[in-house]
Amino acid sequence: MSLSATVPADHPKAAPRRIGVLVANLGTPDGTDYWSMRRYLNEFLSDKRVIDLPSWKWQPILQGIVLTKRPFTSGANYKTVWNNEADESPLMTITKAQVAGLRERVQEIWGDRVLVDFCMRYGNPSTESVVERMVKAGCDRILFFPLYPQYAGATSATANDQFFRALMAQKWQPAARTVSAYFDRPDYIEALAGSVEKALNGATPRKLVASYHGMPKRYLMQGDPYHCQCQKTSRLLRERLGWAPEVIDTTFQSVFGKEEWLRPYTVQHVAELAKQGITEIAVISPAFSADCIETLEEIQGEIREAFIHAGGKEFTYIPCLNAEPSHLDVLTTIIAENLGGWT
């Protein structure tokens, strides 16, 4: 007797069982206008994983001061890199390309049994909406994959938090797994090294600056492993390239507020290099899986200008791994390893 014969006629229809792979990135505003930027920044800067000040202290500052001015400046910055043809941010464009490449690879391995989709921690598509869509598509198991090579409470952890909050809304909650940081995987380091060799035509630069997104130093002292994982990624990259220790410097960018953040600050460090007579540098951003406002506008704008203004001559930015085949191969391997026992 078939299973369908035992189900009452008025029973709700159920989709065939599938496994979901949900990749997540930081997020993006829907547009560069004031209100789109304000909604995005409000969600981002209200996250206690990002700004851990008490709400009674932070929210009046955020709502009364920060969100009055910052949407205008952030919107202007986004306009310089906005994908006008698709009317979306570069992060959205690249994430879509990454997911398309992953779907092709997953289809070849598991066919229609595994569904790949993406969400953003802040903005759209929201984590909750995509989890809801996956459950309706029959996913009773979901692998959640934050696209951050190095773990940080303000990136990986808050993405996981939002994923678990989305699961709380489900009547029939799917089984769940999360992917851990992959900052020291040999295949990830190999992909990074390949991008460096391609950009520099195999030459060794006078200085390669590995610029990671910053965080308050206090978070490190409280036990966040991000700083240590960044340092290890830089060291493994240097060892794979066969360079001397002094060739690669690890720095941190995107400082916000008056609190001390992880040092050295990229914008100050590149200026100091120029003043020391190092007039040719290359910059890479190993903490980002996709180029975004922090790389396309901050590094190639503010940080480049600081270097040139201080006497620098040649500034080479090495793009993120984005949707490069080597990167997608790494991500597919990580997915396959984490689906063990489910497939």
Side-chain angles (χ1 to χ4, degrees), residues 22-23 30 43 92 115 117-139 142 144 162-170:
L22 179 53
V23 298
D30 294 325
E43 184 179 9
M92 180 66 77
L115 182 153
D117 211 333
F118 77 96
C119 66
M120 298 294 184
R121 171 59 183 91
Y122 314 104
N124 295 307
S126 69
T127 306
E128 185 175 13
S129 67
V130 183
V131 168
E132 176 75 17
R133 185 162 68 234
M134 284 186 147
V135 171
K136 288 182 178 179
C139 295
I142 297 178
F144 186 69
Q162 196 73 350
F163 173 56
F164 292 125
R165 279 191 285 266
L167 293 180
M168 290 171 63
Q170 294 302 316

Side-chain angles (χ1 to χ4, degrees), residues 67-324:
L67 293 180
T68 300
K69 299 179 180 180
R70 194 174 179 89
F72 289 110
T73 57
S74 294
N77 290 338
Y78 266 98
K79 284 181 181 178
T80 65
V81 299
W82 199 253
N83 181 347
N84 292 311
E85 182 177 350
D87 192 22
E88 61 189 19
S89 72
L91 178 62
M92 180 66 77
T93 301
I94 294 169
T95 301
K96 288 178 178 178
Q98 290 173 328
V99 170
L102 289 174
R103 283 173 176 159
E104 291 180 1
R105 287 161 169 76
V106 165
Q107 176 72 26
E108 291 177 359
I109 301 172
W110 298 293
D112 294 332
R113 289 185 299 150
V114 178
L115 182 153
V116 181
D117 211 333
F118 77 96
C119 66
M120 298 294 184
R121 171 59 183 91
Y122 314 104
N124 295 307
S126 69
T127 306
E128 185 175 13
S129 67
V130 183
V131 168
E132 176 75 17
R133 185 162 68 234
M134 284 186 147
V135 171
K136 288 182 178 179
C139 295
D140 60 357
R141 292 154 290 175
I142 297 178
L143 175 66
F144 186 69
F145 191 172
L147 293 182
Y148 305 109
Q150 298 81 19
Y151 173 94
T155 54
S156 309
T158 189
N160 288 336
D161 291 345
Q162 196 73 350
F163 173 56
F164 292 125
R165 279 191 285 266
L167 293 180
M168 290 171 63
Q170 294 302 316
K171 288 291 185 183
W172 187 356
Q173 191 178 72
R177 292 176 179 174
T178 61
V179 177
S180 60
Y182 52 98
F183 64 98
D184 58 353
R185 287 181 59 99
D187 51 0
Y188 165 66
I189 298 299
E190 182 64 31
L192 275 182
S195 71
V196 173
E197 292 171 336
K198 178 181 178 181
L200 301 180
N201 293 318
T204 302
R206 175 82 180 277
K207 186 72 71 174
L208 174 66
V209 177
S211 180
Y212 298 81
H213 198 287
M215 70 162 52
K217 182 179 179 180
R218 173 169 51 88
Y219 291 9
L220 166 63
M221 307 313 293
Q222 293 172 344
D224 194 299
Y226 178 72
H227 177 267
C228 301
Q229 293 184 2
C230 292
Q231 295 286 354
K232 187 171 184 181
T233 296
S234 293
R235 176 176 62 80
L236 293 175
L237 175 61
R238 176 185 62 77
E239 291 175 353
R240 158 57 183 80
L241 291 167
W243 294 349
E246 64 272 13
V247 175
I248 296 184
D249 292 346
T250 297
T251 64
F252 300 90
Q253 64 182 87
S254 307
V255 177
F256 178 78
K258 298 180 180 180
E259 184 175 3
E260 182 179 2
W261 282 40
L262 298 177
R263 291 180 180 270
Y265 299 155
T266 305
V267 67
Q268 296 177 358
H269 187 73
V270 298
E272 185 60 32
L273 290 176
K275 293 175 183 178
Q276 294 172 4
I278 300 176
T279 59
E280 299 178 4
I281 66 171
V283 179
I284 191 172
S285 300
F288 298 94
S289 63
D291 278 304
C292 53
I293 190 73
E294 286 84 1
T295 64
L296 299 175
E297 192 279 328
E298 185 179 2
I299 290 182
Q300 298 197 72
E302 176 189 359
I303 292 170
R304 178 193 294 268
E305 289 173 5
F307 177 69
I308 299 299
H309 183 74
K313 301 298 183 183
E314 185 174 333
F315 183 103
T316 301
Y317 172 65
I318 300 172
C320 295
L321 294 177
N322 295 324
E324 288 294 320

